Amino acid sequence: MMPKKSLPTAIAIMGPTASGKTAAALEIAKAMPVEIISVDSALVYRGMDIGTAKPSAEEMAAVPHHLIDIIEPTEAYSAARFREDAIRLVSNITARGRLPLLVGGTMLYFKALTTGLDDLPTANAAIRKRLEDEAAQMGWPKLHERLARLDPKTAARLKPTDAQRIQRALEIIELTGKPLSDQHSGAKKIELPFNLVSIALEPSDRLKLHERIAKRFDLMLKDDLLIDEVVKLRERGNLNLGLPSMRCVGYRQTWQYLDGEFDKKALREKGIAATRQLCKRQLTWLRAMPERIVIDCLAPDAPQRVLAIIKQHLNLDQADGTIHKTD
């Protein structure tokens, strides 16, 4: 799609976990006035810093960040709410003469922003609790079998252990009387009130990205940092593995470790494996986004390459620091 010159511009920096999105964003912040909008379903939670690789206090002090630490781990944050928040924030940031950077790896949020969402019912706490209780008794594979009878199309694309999506699909059936597969509108790309330039940091060698993932998870486990964080979360007494926050990669595995389900060596193996699976899903989402500009995240000058692309779309007036769109 051709950009509309009358609209402001926002930049999306997408990529799988450990691809260097934050480093790229901070490099851009050194060169021009920006504000960062987090596109990460885990960074919204307060008290979850280590396992989410949340930007440090120094990094957040260096450039304004949004949609980080906005809810408690007991709460839920939806793609629909993200879309509303992101559009509002882009408007506010551009009104301040700054460049909005939408940075993260939650691809559903990017999809919600660019294509909209199906009109599905909101979550029902009572139904979810009952489904979680049933899963605790019989396991999620059994609930997957139930879903296969009620909505075979949706069940076919879900793993029997995909608790969150199985639960949501069964919940929708109860609330609407119709399977989820019958309710996807297949909505086409919708108009945004700004031009979005999408840049994707993707690996030329996935094995090397896997090495990065392992190193980062090892840093989380160093000195029991992640374990201590999850211990504090458990001490609150109002969290459980059924909540979206505790299903985040790393947190689920650490919770299970603390429950005595496996030892610390297995925690490391399972945490890294889960992060690699997340990476794989993120790359699958990215391949379905044909308008993205791809940068090799393993290149030593990846942040500078991202900055160069942005400068192709923007003209920064060095005299006053104001951002103007290039004609």
Side-chain angles (χ1 to χ4, degrees):
M1 293 178 67
M2 293 297 293
K4 295 185 178 180
K5 294 183 179 180
S6 61
L7 295 178
T9 296
I11 306 295
I13 302 178
M14 311 179 291
T17 184
S19 59
K21 300 179 291 294
T22 297
L26 293 174
E27 185 72 21
I28 296 161
K30 295 176 184 177
M32 59 184 69
V34 304
E35 295 187 29
I36 295 172
I37 301 171
S38 171
V39 190
D40 190 306
S41 60
L43 294 187
V44 297
Y45 298 114
R46 302 186 192 105
M48 295 174 59
D49 303 334
I50 304 300
T52 61
K54 193 170 288 180
S56 67
E58 292 77 15
E59 289 169 337
M60 287 196 280
V63 55
H65 284 68
H66 303 275
L67 303 187
I68 294 177
D69 290 338
I70 58 173
I71 62 172
E72 292 298 320
T74 51
E75 301 175 84
Y77 186 78
S78 68
R81 181 176 166 186
F82 166 80
R83 188 175 194 279
E84 293 176 358
D85 288 344
I87 290 174
R88 170 180 51 80
L89 287 165
V90 167
S91 176
N92 294 344
I93 293 167
T94 55
R96 290 191 285 269
R98 293 174 175 266
L99 176 66
L101 301 182
L102 293 107
V103 182
T106 300
M107 302 307 162
L108 177 61
Y109 286 6
F110 281 117
K111 183 177 185 295
L113 182 63
T114 57
T115 67
L117 293 161
D118 296 310
D119 187 17
L120 297 174
T122 57
N124 182 290
I127 292 176
R128 291 192 167 195
K129 178 63 167 60
R130 177 166 47 75
L131 290 171
E132 287 165 9
D133 291 343
E134 291 179 26
Q137 292 290 325
M138 63 183 72
W140 285 107
K142 283 294 184 182
L143 270 69
H144 183 266
E145 291 176 9
R146 181 190 304 172
L147 180 62
R149 295 191 296 271
L150 300 172
D151 185 358
K153 288 183 180 179
T154 298
R157 62 182 178 82
L158 300 181
K159 292 183 178 180
T161 54
D162 194 341
Q164 189 169 355
R165 291 178 177 83
I166 294 169
Q167 181 190 57
R168 179 59 172 157
L170 290 171
E171 176 189 35
I172 287 171
I173 292 171
E174 290 198 35
L175 290 171
T176 67
K178 297 187 295 184
L180 176 61
S181 57
D182 288 351
Q183 302 188 54
H184 286 309
S185 64
K188 295 182 179 179
K189 193 177 184 72
I190 58 176
E191 294 293 328
L192 285 170
F194 52 87
N195 293 317
L196 185 65
V197 179
S198 297
I199 303 171
L201 291 166
E202 301 178 30
S204 55
D205 184 340
R206 196 177 296 191
L207 290 178
K208 289 184 178 179
L209 184 59
H210 287 176
E211 291 175 4
R212 279 193 189 180
I213 288 170
K215 288 179 181 178
R216 189 165 78 166
F217 198 74
D218 283 338
L219 285 174
M220 293 177 184
L221 292 178
K222 186 179 179 182
D223 299 325
D224 288 344
L225 289 174
L226 178 57
I227 293 172
D228 290 345
E229 182 172 74
V230 178
V231 166
K232 290 180 181 178
L233 290 167
R234 286 163 63 102
E235 288 174 350
R236 294 170 53 129
N238 58 355
L239 300 176
N240 59 73
L241 282 180
L243 291 168
S245 59
M246 294 300 101
R247 290 175 181 161
C248 291
V249 168
Y251 289 89
R252 173 190 290 274
Q253 292 76 25
T254 306
W255 189 291
Q256 292 172 319
Y257 159 76
L258 291 169
D259 277 345
E261 294 187 24
F262 39 75
D263 60 18
K264 191 176 290 188
K265 180 181 178 182
L267 165 59
R268 178 184 183 274
E269 293 170 351
K270 290 178 181 293
I272 291 172
T275 311
R276 287 179 179 177
Q277 284 298 312
L278 171 62
C279 174
K280 181 179 179 181
R281 293 193 299 271
Q282 289 169 318
L283 289 170
T284 298
W285 276 91
L286 283 168
R287 285 195 293 270
M289 298 178 176
E291 294 182 6
R292 76 197 191 281
I293 302 166
V294 178
I295 296 291
D296 181 8
C297 69
L298 302 175
D301 63 343
Q304 290 75 27
R305 293 187 190 185
V306 174
L307 179 58
I309 290 170
I310 293 173
K311 286 183 174 180
Q312 292 175 6
H313 292 269
L314 301 172
N315 183 23
L316 182 61
D317 188 332
Q318 298 294 334
D320 62 8
T322 301
I323 293 174
H324 304 282
K325 288 184 297 176
T326 304
D327 290 333

PDB file of all heavy atoms in Angstrom, residues 77-88 109 111-117 190-193:
ATOM      1  N   TYR A  77      -5.068  -8.508  29.517  1.00  0.00           N
ATOM      2  CA  TYR A  77      -4.912  -7.411  28.550  1.00  0.00           C
ATOM      3  C   TYR A  77      -5.124  -8.007  27.170  1.00  0.00           C
ATOM      4  O   TYR A  77      -4.461  -8.957  26.790  1.00  0.00           O
ATOM      5  CB  TYR A  77      -3.529  -6.796  28.679  1.00  0.00           C
ATOM      6  CG  TYR A  77      -3.308  -5.561  27.842  1.00  0.00           C
ATOM      7  CD1 TYR A  77      -3.807  -4.328  28.247  1.00  0.00           C
ATOM      8  CD2 TYR A  77      -2.599  -5.624  26.649  1.00  0.00           C
ATOM      9  CE1 TYR A  77      -3.598  -3.185  27.492  1.00  0.00           C
ATOM     10  CE2 TYR A  77      -2.389  -4.489  25.887  1.00  0.00           C
ATOM     11  CZ  TYR A  77      -2.879  -3.270  26.307  1.00  0.00           C
ATOM     12  OH  TYR A  77      -2.679  -2.141  25.554  1.00  0.00           O
ATOM     13  N   SER A  78      -6.042  -7.452  26.410  1.00  0.00           N
ATOM     14  CA  SER A  78      -6.442  -8.059  25.142  1.00  0.00           C
ATOM     15  C   SER A  78      -5.828  -7.356  23.942  1.00  0.00           C
ATOM     16  O   SER A  78      -5.371  -6.206  24.028  1.00  0.00           O
ATOM     17  CB  SER A  78      -7.968  -8.007  25.011  1.00  0.00           C
ATOM     18  OG  SER A  78      -8.406  -6.658  24.858  1.00  0.00           O
ATOM     19  N   ALA A  79      -5.865  -8.038  22.805  1.00  0.00           N
ATOM     20  CA  ALA A  79      -5.410  -7.437  21.549  1.00  0.00           C
ATOM     21  C   ALA A  79      -6.288  -6.253  21.170  1.00  0.00           C
ATOM     22  O   ALA A  79      -5.798  -5.260  20.617  1.00  0.00           O
ATOM     23  CB  ALA A  79      -5.415  -8.487  20.446  1.00  0.00           C
ATOM     24  N   ALA A  80      -7.565  -6.344  21.476  1.00  0.00           N
ATOM     25  CA  ALA A  80      -8.478  -5.237  21.170  1.00  0.00           C
ATOM     26  C   ALA A  80      -8.111  -3.998  21.984  1.00  0.00           C
ATOM     27  O   ALA A  80      -8.112  -2.874  21.465  1.00  0.00           O
ATOM     28  CB  ALA A  80      -9.914  -5.650  21.456  1.00  0.00           C
ATOM     29  N   ARG A  81      -7.801  -4.208  23.256  1.00  0.00           N
ATOM     30  CA  ARG A  81      -7.401  -3.071  24.095  1.00  0.00           C
ATOM     31  C   ARG A  81      -6.076  -2.503  23.616  1.00  0.00           C
ATOM     32  O   ARG A  81      -5.881  -1.273  23.607  1.00  0.00           O
ATOM     33  CB  ARG A  81      -7.297  -3.515  25.557  1.00  0.00           C
ATOM     34  CG  ARG A  81      -6.913  -2.382  26.498  1.00  0.00           C
ATOM     35  CD  ARG A  81      -6.921  -2.831  27.948  1.00  0.00           C
ATOM     36  NE  ARG A  81      -6.246  -1.874  28.812  1.00  0.00           N
ATOM     37  CZ  ARG A  81      -6.001  -2.074  30.105  1.00  0.00           C
ATOM     38  NH1 ARG A  81      -6.370  -3.204  30.684  1.00  0.00           N
ATOM     39  NH2 ARG A  81      -5.366  -1.163  30.814  1.00  0.00           N
ATOM     40  N   PHE A  82      -5.154  -3.385  23.203  1.00  0.00           N
ATOM     41  CA  PHE A  82      -3.887  -2.891  22.666  1.00  0.00           C
ATOM     42  C   PHE A  82      -4.126  -1.991  21.463  1.00  0.00           C
ATOM     43  O   PHE A  82      -3.516  -0.923  21.342  1.00  0.00           O
ATOM     44  CB  PHE A  82      -2.966  -4.048  22.253  1.00  0.00           C
ATOM     45  CG  PHE A  82      -1.812  -3.575  21.406  1.00  0.00           C
ATOM     46  CD1 PHE A  82      -0.709  -2.985  22.001  1.00  0.00           C
ATOM     47  CD2 PHE A  82      -1.866  -3.674  20.021  1.00  0.00           C
ATOM     48  CE1 PHE A  82       0.333  -2.496  21.224  1.00  0.00           C
ATOM     49  CE2 PHE A  82      -0.823  -3.187  19.238  1.00  0.00           C
ATOM     50  CZ  PHE A  82       0.284  -2.601  19.836  1.00  0.00           C
ATOM     51  N   ARG A  83      -5.003  -2.417  20.566  1.00  0.00           N
ATOM     52  CA  ARG A  83      -5.250  -1.621  19.353  1.00  0.00           C
ATOM     53  C   ARG A  83      -5.732  -0.219  19.714  1.00  0.00           C
ATOM     54  O   ARG A  83      -5.255   0.780  19.165  1.00  0.00           O
ATOM     55  CB  ARG A  83      -6.262  -2.328  18.460  1.00  0.00           C
ATOM     56  CG  ARG A  83      -6.424  -1.668  17.106  1.00  0.00           C
ATOM     57  CD  ARG A  83      -7.349  -2.454  16.185  1.00  0.00           C
ATOM     58  NE  ARG A  83      -7.200  -1.947  14.825  1.00  0.00           N
ATOM     59  CZ  ARG A  83      -7.799  -0.854  14.361  1.00  0.00           C
ATOM     60  NH1 ARG A  83      -8.596  -0.158  15.164  1.00  0.00           N
ATOM     61  NH2 ARG A  83      -7.595  -0.440  13.124  1.00  0.00           N
ATOM     62  N   GLU A  84      -6.674  -0.146  20.638  1.00  0.00           N
ATOM     63  CA  GLU A  84      -7.189   1.158  21.072  1.00  0.00           C
ATOM     64  C   GLU A  84      -6.078   2.005  21.688  1.00  0.00           C
ATOM     65  O   GLU A  84      -5.931   3.192  21.382  1.00  0.00           O
ATOM     66  CB  GLU A  84      -8.326   0.963  22.077  1.00  0.00           C
ATOM     67  CG  GLU A  84      -9.575   0.324  21.499  1.00  0.00           C
ATOM     68  CD  GLU A  84     -10.624   0.063  22.564  1.00  0.00           C
ATOM     69  OE1 GLU A  84     -10.346   0.357  23.750  1.00  0.00           O
ATOM     70  OE2 GLU A  84     -11.711  -0.425  22.224  1.00  0.00           O
ATOM     71  N   ASP A  85      -5.292   1.373  22.569  1.00  0.00           N
ATOM     72  CA  ASP A  85      -4.215   2.097  23.245  1.00  0.00           C
ATOM     73  C   ASP A  85      -3.164   2.575  22.250  1.00  0.00           C
ATOM     74  O   ASP A  85      -2.669   3.713  22.336  1.00  0.00           O
ATOM     75  CB  ASP A  85      -3.566   1.211  24.306  1.00  0.00           C
ATOM     76  CG  ASP A  85      -4.449   0.998  25.527  1.00  0.00           C
ATOM     77  OD1 ASP A  85      -5.417   1.761  25.703  1.00  0.00           O
ATOM     78  OD2 ASP A  85      -4.168   0.062  26.303  1.00  0.00           O
ATOM     79  N   ALA A  86      -2.792   1.706  21.314  1.00  0.00           N
ATOM     80  CA  ALA A  86      -1.728   2.046  20.365  1.00  0.00           C
ATOM     81  C   ALA A  86      -2.140   3.205  19.455  1.00  0.00           C
ATOM     82  O   ALA A  86      -1.345   4.121  19.215  1.00  0.00           O
ATOM     83  CB  ALA A  86      -1.366   0.819  19.527  1.00  0.00           C
ATOM     84  N   ILE A  87      -3.364   3.177  18.949  1.00  0.00           N
ATOM     85  CA  ILE A  87      -3.818   4.262  18.075  1.00  0.00           C
ATOM     86  C   ILE A  87      -3.849   5.589  18.833  1.00  0.00           C
ATOM     87  O   ILE A  87      -3.429   6.635  18.314  1.00  0.00           O
ATOM     88  CB  ILE A  87      -5.195   3.919  17.482  1.00  0.00           C
ATOM     89  CG1 ILE A  87      -5.058   2.771  16.470  1.00  0.00           C
ATOM     90  CG2 ILE A  87      -5.831   5.137  16.806  1.00  0.00           C
ATOM     91  CD1 ILE A  87      -6.372   2.249  15.931  1.00  0.00           C
ATOM     92  N   ARG A  88      -4.324   5.535  20.076  1.00  0.00           N
ATOM     93  CA  ARG A  88      -4.350   6.757  20.893  1.00  0.00           C
ATOM     94  C   ARG A  88      -2.934   7.267  21.151  1.00  0.00           C
ATOM     95  O   ARG A  88      -2.657   8.473  21.032  1.00  0.00           O
ATOM     96  CB  ARG A  88      -5.054   6.464  22.218  1.00  0.00           C
ATOM     97  CG  ARG A  88      -4.947   7.582  23.258  1.00  0.00           C
ATOM     98  CD  ARG A  88      -5.669   7.222  24.543  1.00  0.00           C
ATOM     99  NE  ARG A  88      -5.291   5.913  25.071  1.00  0.00           N
ATOM    100  CZ  ARG A  88      -4.188   5.686  25.767  1.00  0.00           C
ATOM    101  NH1 ARG A  88      -3.342   6.681  26.027  1.00  0.00           N
ATOM    102  NH2 ARG A  88      -3.915   4.481  26.229  1.00  0.00           N
ATOM    103  N   TYR A 109      -0.865  -8.735  18.318  1.00  0.00           N
ATOM    104  CA  TYR A 109      -1.117  -7.305  18.526  1.00  0.00           C
ATOM    105  C   TYR A 109      -0.884  -6.521  17.229  1.00  0.00           C
ATOM    106  O   TYR A 109      -1.655  -5.624  16.884  1.00  0.00           O
ATOM    107  CB  TYR A 109      -0.216  -6.759  19.630  1.00  0.00           C
ATOM    108  CG  TYR A 109      -0.605  -7.167  21.029  1.00  0.00           C
ATOM    109  CD1 TYR A 109      -1.626  -8.077  21.267  1.00  0.00           C
ATOM    110  CD2 TYR A 109       0.064  -6.627  22.130  1.00  0.00           C
ATOM    111  CE1 TYR A 109      -1.970  -8.448  22.569  1.00  0.00           C
ATOM    112  CE2 TYR A 109      -0.282  -6.981  23.425  1.00  0.00           C
ATOM    113  CZ  TYR A 109      -1.290  -7.893  23.639  1.00  0.00           C
ATOM    114  OH  TYR A 109      -1.631  -8.248  24.918  1.00  0.00           O
ATOM    115  N   LYS A 111      -1.146  -7.728  14.249  1.00  0.00           N
ATOM    116  CA  LYS A 111      -2.238  -8.096  13.349  1.00  0.00           C
ATOM    117  C   LYS A 111      -3.516  -7.350  13.716  1.00  0.00           C
ATOM    118  O   LYS A 111      -4.244  -6.858  12.850  1.00  0.00           O
ATOM    119  CB  LYS A 111      -2.480  -9.600  13.391  1.00  0.00           C
ATOM    120  CG  LYS A 111      -3.566 -10.091  12.429  1.00  0.00           C
ATOM    121  CD  LYS A 111      -3.690 -11.604  12.470  1.00  0.00           C
ATOM    122  CE  LYS A 111      -4.685 -12.104  11.419  1.00  0.00           C
ATOM    123  NZ  LYS A 111      -6.059 -11.649  11.679  1.00  0.00           N
ATOM    124  N   ALA A 112      -3.800  -7.262  15.009  1.00  0.00           N
ATOM    125  CA  ALA A 112      -4.982  -6.538  15.464  1.00  0.00           C
ATOM    126  C   ALA A 112      -4.916  -5.078  15.037  1.00  0.00           C
ATOM    127  O   ALA A 112      -5.924  -4.481  14.632  1.00  0.00           O
ATOM    128  CB  ALA A 112      -5.113  -6.633  16.977  1.00  0.00           C
ATOM    129  N   LEU A 113      -3.727  -4.504  15.114  1.00  0.00           N
ATOM    130  CA  LEU A 113      -3.559  -3.105  14.758  1.00  0.00           C
ATOM    131  C   LEU A 113      -3.812  -2.874  13.274  1.00  0.00           C
ATOM    132  O   LEU A 113      -4.476  -1.902  12.891  1.00  0.00           O
ATOM    133  CB  LEU A 113      -2.140  -2.652  15.115  1.00  0.00           C
ATOM    134  CG  LEU A 113      -1.805  -1.190  14.851  1.00  0.00           C
ATOM    135  CD1 LEU A 113      -2.669  -0.269  15.700  1.00  0.00           C
ATOM    136  CD2 LEU A 113      -0.328  -0.929  15.107  1.00  0.00           C
ATOM    137  N   THR A 114      -3.313  -3.763  12.425  1.00  0.00           N
ATOM    138  CA  THR A 114      -3.366  -3.523  10.981  1.00  0.00           C
ATOM    139  C   THR A 114      -4.597  -4.092  10.297  1.00  0.00           C
ATOM    140  O   THR A 114      -4.998  -3.596   9.244  1.00  0.00           O
ATOM    141  CB  THR A 114      -2.112  -4.110  10.305  1.00  0.00           C
ATOM    142  OG1 THR A 114      -2.015  -5.509  10.609  1.00  0.00           O
ATOM    143  CG2 THR A 114      -0.863  -3.399  10.779  1.00  0.00           C
ATOM    144  N   THR A 115      -5.213  -5.122  10.864  1.00  0.00           N
ATOM    145  CA  THR A 115      -6.361  -5.749  10.191  1.00  0.00           C
ATOM    146  C   THR A 115      -7.629  -5.739  11.020  1.00  0.00           C
ATOM    147  O   THR A 115      -8.684  -6.156  10.540  1.00  0.00           O
ATOM    148  CB  THR A 115      -6.048  -7.215   9.812  1.00  0.00           C
ATOM    149  OG1 THR A 115      -5.904  -8.001  10.996  1.00  0.00           O
ATOM    150  CG2 THR A 115      -4.784  -7.304   8.972  1.00  0.00           C
ATOM    151  N   GLY A 116      -7.547  -5.295  12.278  1.00  0.00           N
ATOM    152  CA  GLY A 116      -8.735  -5.326  13.123  1.00  0.00           C
ATOM    153  C   GLY A 116      -8.960  -6.704  13.706  1.00  0.00           C
ATOM    154  O   GLY A 116      -8.165  -7.622  13.531  1.00  0.00           O
ATOM    155  N   LEU A 117     -10.073  -6.856  14.406  1.00  0.00           N
ATOM    156  CA  LEU A 117     -10.366  -8.101  15.110  1.00  0.00           C
ATOM    157  C   LEU A 117     -11.794  -8.546  14.851  1.00  0.00           C
ATOM    158  O   LEU A 117     -12.675  -7.723  14.563  1.00  0.00           O
ATOM    159  CB  LEU A 117     -10.176  -7.902  16.623  1.00  0.00           C
ATOM    160  CG  LEU A 117      -8.750  -7.641  17.095  1.00  0.00           C
ATOM    161  CD1 LEU A 117      -8.762  -7.023  18.473  1.00  0.00           C
ATOM    162  CD2 LEU A 117      -7.949  -8.930  17.099  1.00  0.00           C
ATOM    163  N   ILE A 190      -7.420  -2.818   7.214  1.00  0.00           N
ATOM    164  CA  ILE A 190      -8.240  -1.640   7.467  1.00  0.00           C
ATOM    165  C   ILE A 190      -7.360  -0.395   7.492  1.00  0.00           C
ATOM    166  O   ILE A 190      -6.149  -0.477   7.636  1.00  0.00           O
ATOM    167  CB  ILE A 190      -9.001  -1.773   8.800  1.00  0.00           C
ATOM    168  CG1 ILE A 190      -8.023  -1.977   9.948  1.00  0.00           C
ATOM    169  CG2 ILE A 190     -10.005  -2.904   8.747  1.00  0.00           C
ATOM    170  CD1 ILE A 190      -8.666  -2.015  11.301  1.00  0.00           C
ATOM    171  N   GLU A 191      -7.995   0.736   7.338  1.00  0.00           N
ATOM    172  CA  GLU A 191      -7.265   1.989   7.306  1.00  0.00           C
ATOM    173  C   GLU A 191      -6.865   2.421   8.720  1.00  0.00           C
ATOM    174  O   GLU A 191      -7.678   2.411   9.640  1.00  0.00           O
ATOM    175  CB  GLU A 191      -8.126   3.077   6.657  1.00  0.00           C
ATOM    176  CG  GLU A 191      -8.414   2.830   5.180  1.00  0.00           C
ATOM    177  CD  GLU A 191      -7.170   2.928   4.317  1.00  0.00           C
ATOM    178  OE1 GLU A 191      -6.268   3.728   4.656  1.00  0.00           O
ATOM    179  OE2 GLU A 191      -7.087   2.198   3.319  1.00  0.00           O
ATOM    180  N   LEU A 192      -5.614   2.802   8.868  1.00  0.00           N
ATOM    181  CA  LEU A 192      -5.125   3.352  10.116  1.00  0.00           C
ATOM    182  C   LEU A 192      -5.014   4.869   9.977  1.00  0.00           C
ATOM    183  O   LEU A 192      -4.820   5.374   8.861  1.00  0.00           O
ATOM    184  CB  LEU A 192      -3.742   2.771  10.453  1.00  0.00           C
ATOM    185  CG  LEU A 192      -3.698   1.337  10.969  1.00  0.00           C
ATOM    186  CD1 LEU A 192      -2.255   0.840  11.007  1.00  0.00           C
ATOM    187  CD2 LEU A 192      -4.327   1.235  12.344  1.00  0.00           C
ATOM    188  N   PRO A 193      -5.092   5.600  11.080  1.00  0.00           N
ATOM    189  CA  PRO A 193      -4.957   7.057  11.004  1.00  0.00           C
ATOM    190  C   PRO A 193      -3.495   7.499  10.931  1.00  0.00           C
ATOM    191  O   PRO A 193      -3.164   8.637  11.267  1.00  0.00           O
ATOM    192  CB  PRO A 193      -5.628   7.532  12.303  1.00  0.00           C
ATOM    193  CG  PRO A 193      -5.427   6.410  13.246  1.00  0.00           C
ATOM    194  CD  PRO A 193      -5.498   5.151  12.430  1.00  0.00           C
TER     195      PRO A 193
END
